[in-house]
Structures are given as structure tokens and as C-alpha cells.
Amino acid sequence: MILAPGAPALRDRVQPVFDAIGHRTVWLDPAGDGSRLKVVLNNSPALLVEGMAPRAKDAALDLDAAGDHATSLPLTEAPLRRWSTAIEPGHGGDDVAAAVSAVRRAASAP
């Protein structure tokens, strides 16, 4: 998806380029909307790393949806296993660093 700010008069001129590199263009008007949206989008990763439980819930929903379409998401499955290792003993509200610690503890346990 292309997030495109800019003067409406230029849209027809640049749209073919955007069509070549993205499947959808979202035009942002008035001036400043692009900057506001960028701040929101950049905040999302920060929110995701603050706690594993919301990340794990959404990852599980992604895997369920993929399964409904006979698709696998191995790059989603791998961290979900690690997060589950940390969430089960009560670290769901911790940041993702807790997953690393929990996996290390689990691997070193007899």
C-alpha cells in the first residue's frame, strides 16, 4: 500500500508509478495528514513490543486465519511458541525480552 500525500493536481501524473510498486494508493489530504498517519504507524511497533500477551493474541488470530485458507505462517509460528513459553508462567504483561529469558530458562531446565 502506498500512502501518498500531495497536491491533487499531480495524482494522475504519479499514479502509474504507484500502481507499479503497490497494490493500492491511499491519498492523504489535507496537508499534514501524511505526517499524522506516519506517527500513528510508527507507534504501532512500539506498542507491540511493550507486552507479549496482545502480540500473542493477534499472532494466534493470524495463524487461525491462515489455517482457514490452508496457508502456513512459519515466521509467525516461531515467535508465538517463544512468547507462549513466557506467557504461561505469568510474563504476558512483560516486554518481549521476557520471552528470551523464559526460553533460556526452559532450555537449561533438566
Side-chain angles (χ1 to χ4, degrees):
M1 177 170 28
I2 306 294
L3 303 175
L10 298 176
R11 289 181 183 178
D12 289 341
R13 184 173 178 193
V14 297
Q15 188 63 58
V17 175
F18 292 160
D19 289 344
I21 61 174
H23 70 279
R24 179 176 176 216
T25 302
V26 176
W27 290 98
L28 302 165
D29 289 320
D33 278 359
S35 296
R36 284 187 283 279
L37 182 57
K38 179 181 177 274
V39 169
V40 170
L41 294 175
N42 286 342
N43 189 50
S44 295
L47 294 174
L48 291 175
V49 298
E50 284 303 314
M52 283 178 290
R55 288 181 82 188
K57 178 186 70 86
D58 290 343
L61 291 172
D62 291 340
L63 292 175
D64 287 344
D68 290 345
H69 297 282
T71 301
S72 66
L73 299 174
L75 295 177
T76 302
E77 292 169 4
L80 183 57
R81 285 192 300 272
R82 288 182 183 91
W83 298 334
S84 295
T85 301
I87 291 169
E88 288 171 11
H91 296 286
D94 297 344
D95 67 18
V96 294
V100 174
S101 298
V103 169
R104 284 186 180 157
R105 281 192 303 275
S108 65

